[in-house]
Amino acid sequence: MRIYPVFLSHAGCRQRCVFCNQRAAERIKPWKESIEETFHYIQKSNLVYDEIAFYGGTPTSSENLLKDILQPFQTFLKIGKIKGIRISTRPDEINESIIQILVDYGVSTVEIGVESFSDEVLRLSKRDHTEEDVKRAHELLKGRFREVFQLMVGLPGETDRHREETISKTVSLKPWGVRYFPTLVLRGTELQKMYESGTYQPLSMEEALYWSRRAYESFMAAGIAVLQIGLHSSEFLSEELVAGPYCGNFGELVRGVM
C-alpha cells in the first residue's frame, strides 16, 4: 500500500502517558501546519495514495477537531487522489457520534492504542482507559473499518501473565492488524524518572525478542496482519533513548527466526 503518514503532535490528548516523550512534541511542528503541508503536497503530486495516515494525538477526543483534520482531504477522496484515510486514537475516545463522522468522512482504517489488557498495567502507565474501553471500541469498529491494535510489552507492573493475556485476548478479538512495541525509556518521560529511581526495569533484549516472537507467531496463526514490530530506526531515537530493548532491525530479528 502507498501510505502518506502525517504526525499530529499530541492533538487532542487529555493526559500524558508515562512513556510519552515531551521533547518529541517540542521538536515536531504543530498539527495544523502538518495538515496544511500534507494538503499542498498531495494537491501538487501526481501520485495516488491508498491512505493518508494520521498518527499521534487523540483526534477523536473532539468532533470539531476530528472534522478539522479530515475535512481538507475530502476533495482528494472524491477525485480519487486518495482511496481512504487512516486515523490513530484511544479506545476510550470512540463513540457512536465519532463513528458516524469517521464513516461520513471516508476513514477506512482505525488504529487504537490498546497497549495492554491489564487494568493495573494501564493504570500504572497512566493510560486512563480500561480493558472494557477496548472491548467497547472494538464492538463499535468491527465490520466498519480495518481495525488495528497498537500493543506494548514491558510496561510498568507487567508480569508474564499480563503478557500472555494481552496476546490471547487480542487473538480472541481478532482485529484486522496489530503493531507490537517493546517499551523504551526515553528522555523527558515519567518512565525515565521511574527507571532512574529503580521503580521500573525495562525488558532485556532477550525478553523483548522472546515475547515479540511469541506474539508474532500467535497473531500470524490467527490470521491477524502484523504491521510492525518494534520502532523503526531513526536519528531521534538514538538521541532520546535512555534504556530498553532497542535495535534498528528488531522486527527482522523477530521475523527471521520464524
Side-chain angles (χ1 to χ4, degrees):
M1 293 180 71
R2 177 178 283 134
I3 295 176
Y4 191 100
V6 185
F7 190 81
L8 305 175
S9 180
H10 297 282
C13 288
R14 303 180 194 274
Q15 72 285 318
R16 191 166 304 284
C17 308
V18 297
F19 49 79
C20 184
N21 182 291
Q22 176 61 35
R23 288 158 63 95
E26 293 171 351
R27 292 173 55 175
I28 296 171
K29 65 191 68 170
W31 69 267
K32 288 185 178 180
E33 188 176 332
S34 295
I35 294 291
E36 291 173 2
E37 287 187 2
T38 300
F39 178 86
H40 292 303
Y41 179 87
I42 293 177
Q43 187 178 46
K44 295 176 182 178
S45 174
N46 293 322
L47 297 175
V48 172
Y49 290 91
D50 293 293
E51 286 182 332
I52 294 178
F54 297 104
Y55 298 110
T58 311
T60 63
S61 63
S62 159
E63 293 185 15
N64 289 334
L65 172 63
L66 183 59
K67 291 177 182 179
D68 286 345
I69 291 168
L70 299 177
Q71 182 60 50
F73 303 96
Q74 298 308 294
T75 299
F76 298 145
L77 282 170
K78 290 176 183 177
I79 65 176
K81 291 198 79 170
I82 61 174
K83 299 177 183 178
I85 296 174
R86 177 181 303 229
I87 206 150
S88 175
T89 192
R90 294 170 53 93
D92 56 337
E93 297 287 4
I94 299 287
N95 56 49
E96 286 288 3
S97 297
I98 291 296
I99 290 290
Q100 192 57 55
I101 294 171
L102 298 177
V103 171
D104 292 344
Y105 282 73
V107 172
S108 45
T109 305
V110 179
E111 302 202 15
I112 55 174
V114 174
E115 318 312 357
S116 172
F117 277 88
S118 163
D119 286 350
E120 177 64 9
V121 171
L122 292 171
R123 183 186 68 79
L124 292 171
S125 301
K126 294 192 175 178
R127 284 294 295 167
D128 290 350
H129 71 78
T130 66
E131 176 185 351
E132 285 306 310
D133 290 323
V134 174
K135 292 178 178 178
R136 191 179 305 112
H138 171 70
E139 289 301 315
L140 290 171
L141 294 168
K142 71 178 183 180
R144 295 159 131 171
F145 311 91
R146 283 192 296 266
E147 180 189 14
V148 177
F149 284 3
Q150 297 173 1
L151 306 168
M152 296 180 71
V153 62
L155 289 166
E158 191 181 76
T159 66
D160 288 353
R161 177 177 61 82
H162 295 138
R163 293 162 192 151
E164 290 280 12
E165 287 181 350
T166 292
I167 294 170
S168 63
K169 289 181 179 181
T170 297
V171 168
S172 68
L173 293 178
K174 201 169 183 180
W176 175 79
V178 297
R179 298 184 193 274
Y180 196 78
F181 303 106
T183 303
L184 303 178
V185 181
L186 302 179
R187 298 188 194 283
T189 63
E190 187 169 341
L191 199 60
Q192 180 186 10
K193 297 177 182 177
M194 295 166 65
Y195 170 70
E196 291 175 347
S197 70
T199 59
Y200 171 75
Q201 180 62 40
L203 295 178
S204 67
M205 180 61 73
E206 291 74 20
E207 290 172 318
L209 285 171
Y210 171 82
W211 285 105
S212 297
R213 288 165 181 161
R214 196 177 185 96
Y216 178 74
E217 183 176 25
S218 298
F219 300 149
M220 293 295 289
I224 299 170
V226 181
L227 306 184
Q228 186 177 353
I229 305 176
L231 292 172
H232 297 306
S233 177
S234 72
E235 180 181 346
F236 164 76
L237 266 180
S238 299
E239 294 175 356
E240 299 297 304
L241 183 66
V242 175
Y246 171 73
C247 63
N249 64 337
F250 186 87
E252 294 175 11
L253 292 177
V254 172
R255 292 183 173 91
V257 299
M258 299 307 300

